[in-house]
Amino acid sequence: MMFRFRRRTFLATGVCLVALASILTLSYYRIQKYALLPKLVAQKEKDLCKGWVTNNSISALSDNRSFIITPYFDDRVGKQTRVIGIVHHKEVKDHYCWFCCPAEDVAFISKAAIEFHLDRFGFPYVVTDLICLEPSHCEPRYMALQSSGEGSDSGMSPRFEIKNRQRQSTLVDFTVCISTMFGDYNNILQFVQSMEMYKLLGVQKVVIYKNSCSQLMEKVLQFYVVEGTVEVVPWPITSYLSVSNEWHFTNDGTKIGYYGQIAALNDCVYRNMYRSRYVLLNDIDEIILPVQHMDWKTLMQNLEKQNPEIGIFLFENHVFPNNVFTFPPVHVPHSWNMVPGVNILQHVLRAPNKKEVINPRKMIVDPRKVVQTSVHSVLQGIGGSVEVPADVAIVFHCRSPLQPDLPRESLIKDTILWRYNTSLIGRVNKVLQKIPFEVVK
């Protein structure tokens, strides 16, 4: 009897402790939520809303440990601003959003929830979302960010325009996000071929985050900007951080991997969230190439029909080594020999993928279903993802070999690109004829 009584007492005590823990947890989250709610700023701090508005694609805050790319209005979960930035993963603790409500001549402050992206790969700096609740009764057009809630550095803080509050009524079908162009990029011929292939496949806009390129490449970019196909986003990441050419940290003193590629990709997704039905995330030497269809529109119509709830589609990478040549069955103009770069039509032998190695994929996504993305997968999304079989579509990746010791007879002849020979050659010729000849020589 005594045992039973003690057991009942123990069980009752346990129930009470669980209930108390639940109450404390609920209270904690309420306190946390309350701490993040926007609060009216003192009258003297309203001068913050009269500061300059920066148009820089990367801006350093006063702590010199935080670099802001762009704030975006994001109402998919509540009324909030999501600021895409790059911060030191250990040294940055707090940030505060200062919202300007000009119609009421008031300002509000909101403490940011800091969300580090998972794919840091060992570097000290990481892509980060700073998420701030907005004032409920106004729609601020501008905001500022500070490491303090006291306004002590308000005079030095630039204001940022909050993007995506105004949305386009019509969407383009496909936008390609290219990140990042660096190392005085000069692979002119492959760039033009890729651009013309994208257009054949159905692209309306290509967004390029440019760190550096050659003078000739500047001419080519300008041609496509004037044409309306390309949007160039300046990407001066090297002015702020020591960057690595590698995706993983090698203890060499660099601060972020691959020229901040992940930050650029996330910005590109949000930049085109309400501009484009689909966004393709790939490098300039990659083409997501349909196998069963001739263009992206029919490819995606079929994939959507089979996967109506899915907005993230992953395509298998296949390397076509650019040091192994096969000449196409149609004539290629001799003038192409004067253009620097790789002729992808000559590279239709692909290396077999290793079964024991994880093969990276590239993506076509519905940007409205992406919260955070990495290079080869979506880190946070709405709904699931699908790995598209290689007999439906592949990533045609023409680059230096990853398996340099493979003999030619081990490579697989795959001439799917040659379906576009005639159209592609004609398009590339027209572009090259419009670039000043004295530059292309």
Side-chain angles (χ1 to χ4, degrees):
M1 186 64 127
M2 183 66 69
F3 173 78
R4 288 180 182 174
F5 175 77
R6 287 178 178 172
R7 185 181 180 190
R8 286 173 184 168
T9 303
F10 175 77
L11 289 173
T13 303
V15 170
C16 290
L17 288 173
V18 170
L20 178 61
S22 299
I23 292 170
L24 290 174
T25 301
L26 183 60
S27 299
Y28 170 78
Y29 282 115
R30 283 176 176 169
I31 291 170
Q32 289 294 96
K33 183 178 179 181
Y34 178 75
L36 298 176
L37 289 176
K39 296 176 177 59
L40 185 65
V41 175
Q43 191 77 12
K44 64 184 178 67
E45 301 294 354
K46 291 194 303 179
D47 288 345
L48 181 74
C49 294
K50 299 176 183 178
W52 82 96
V53 177
T54 180
N55 292 316
N56 296 337
S57 53
I58 303 175
S59 300
L61 297 187
S62 59
D63 65 356
N64 212 32
R65 296 290 184 273
S66 306
F67 304 93
I68 302 306
I69 300 166
T70 315
Y72 290 98
F73 177 59
D74 188 2
D75 60 350
R76 291 174 295 177
V77 181
K79 185 173 181 280
Q80 62 189 21
T81 293
R82 181 182 299 269
V83 183
I84 298 176
I86 300 170
V87 307
H88 195 286
H89 79 287
K90 286 185 177 179
E91 297 179 7
V92 173
K93 303 298 182 184
D94 291 320
H95 273 300
Y96 294 83
C97 296
W98 296 65
F99 292 109
C100 305
C101 297
E104 301 170 7
D105 194 29
V106 295
F108 288 83
I109 184 171
S110 177
K111 186 175 182 180
I114 300 178
E115 292 190 1
F116 297 137
H117 289 217
L118 292 177
D119 280 1
R120 183 168 60 86
F121 302 118
F123 290 95
Y125 280 81
V126 60
V127 182
T128 304
D129 292 343
L130 306 170
I131 303 171
C132 289
L133 297 176
E134 290 190 354
S136 59
H137 61 286
C138 85
E139 294 187 353
R141 182 178 176 185
Y142 300 104
M143 64 169 296
L145 275 151
Q146 297 184 20
S147 57
S148 167
E150 302 301 322
S152 57
D153 58 347
S154 60
M156 298 182 290
S157 299
R159 286 190 300 159
F160 300 90
E161 183 179 359
I162 302 170
K163 306 292 187 180
N164 284 357
R165 197 176 296 282
Q166 304 298 325
R167 298 172 183 176
Q168 297 179 187
S169 56
T170 58
L171 304 178
V172 301
D173 286 328
F174 297 98
T175 297
V176 173
C177 291
I178 302 296
S179 67
T180 54
M181 183 177 283
F182 60 89
D184 293 325
Y185 183 89
N186 194 46
N187 190 350
I188 305 298
L189 184 56
Q190 185 169 358
F191 178 87
V192 173
Q193 289 176 328
S194 294
M195 289 293 302
E196 296 308 312
M197 275 301 303
Y198 296 156
K199 287 157 69 176
L200 282 169
L201 292 166
V203 82
Q204 284 87 34
K205 183 69 70 174
V206 179
V207 183
I208 297 172
Y209 287 72
K210 181 178 74 72
N211 178 260
S212 67
C213 65
S214 70
Q215 290 184 351
L216 177 54
M217 190 69 236
E218 290 281 8
K219 297 279 186 182
V220 176
L221 288 175
Q222 185 60 25
F223 167 82
Y224 282 111
V225 169
V226 171
E227 183 189 66
T229 305
V230 163
E231 176 184 357
V232 175
V233 179
W235 193 245
I237 186 75
T238 47
S239 298
Y240 301 98
L241 294 169
S242 173
V243 301
S244 173
N245 290 328
E246 304 293 334
W247 62 269
H248 59 90
F249 187 57
T250 56
N251 202 28
D252 58 357
T254 54
K255 304 300 183 183
I256 194 167
Y258 218 64
Y259 284 75
Q261 178 185 31
I262 297 177
L265 288 175
N266 278 274
D267 183 70
C268 198
V269 167
Y270 278 86
R271 180 181 293 260
N272 294 284
M273 189 165 285
Y274 301 104
R275 295 180 184 177
S276 188
R277 186 177 182 190
Y278 290 108
V279 168
L280 291 82
L281 305 175
N282 58 260
D283 296 336
I284 194 58
D285 58 0
E286 297 172 330
I287 302 168
I288 295 179
L289 200 56
V291 175
Q292 297 180 6
H293 311 93
M294 287 298 291
D295 55 50
W296 291 333
K297 189 168 187 176
T298 51
L299 167 68
M300 295 311 299
Q301 284 173 343
N302 279 272
L303 290 176
E304 268 192 338
K305 186 176 180 180
Q306 297 167 20
N307 309 276
E309 303 300 319
I310 300 299
I312 299 161
F313 299 88
L314 300 101
F315 299 83
E316 189 173 85
N317 183 60
H318 289 270
V319 173
F320 291 72
N322 61 16
N323 63 343
V324 183
F325 295 82
T326 303
F327 293 96
V330 294
H331 173 70
V332 174
H334 294 297
S335 59
W336 288 15
N337 296 329
M338 296 186 294
V339 182
V342 173
N343 178 4
I344 62 174
L345 291 175
Q346 294 179 341
H347 305 288
V348 294
L349 295 178
R350 61 177 168 86
N353 286 335
K354 293 182 178 180
K355 294 182 179 180
E356 69 276 10
V357 176
I358 296 176
N359 188 28
R361 293 175 179 264
K362 292 300 173 75
M363 296 178 281
I364 299 180
V365 302
D366 175 349
R368 293 158 296 281
K369 292 188 176 181
V370 177
V371 180
Q372 294 180 357
T373 191
S374 188
V375 179
H376 303 294
S377 64
V378 168
L379 301 177
Q380 290 185 31
I382 300 169
S385 62
V386 165
E387 293 185 350
V388 177
D391 62 350
V392 175
I394 64 168
V395 178
F396 176 92
H397 192 181
C398 187
R399 54 155 296 161
S400 57
L402 294 177
Q403 304 176 66
D405 296 329
L406 274 180
R408 184 184 180 97
E409 54 269 20
S410 296
L411 302 177
I412 303 164
K413 190 171 184 179
D414 186 342
T415 59
I416 186 170
L417 183 69
W418 284 355
R419 295 185 299 174
Y420 305 91
N421 268 345
T422 303
S423 298
L424 181 59
I425 290 171
R427 284 174 169 268
V428 171
N429 276 339
K430 288 181 180 179
V431 173
L432 295 179
Q433 288 167 6
K434 294 177 182 178
I435 299 172
F437 180 78
E438 63 269 19
V439 179
V440 187
K441 66 178 182 180

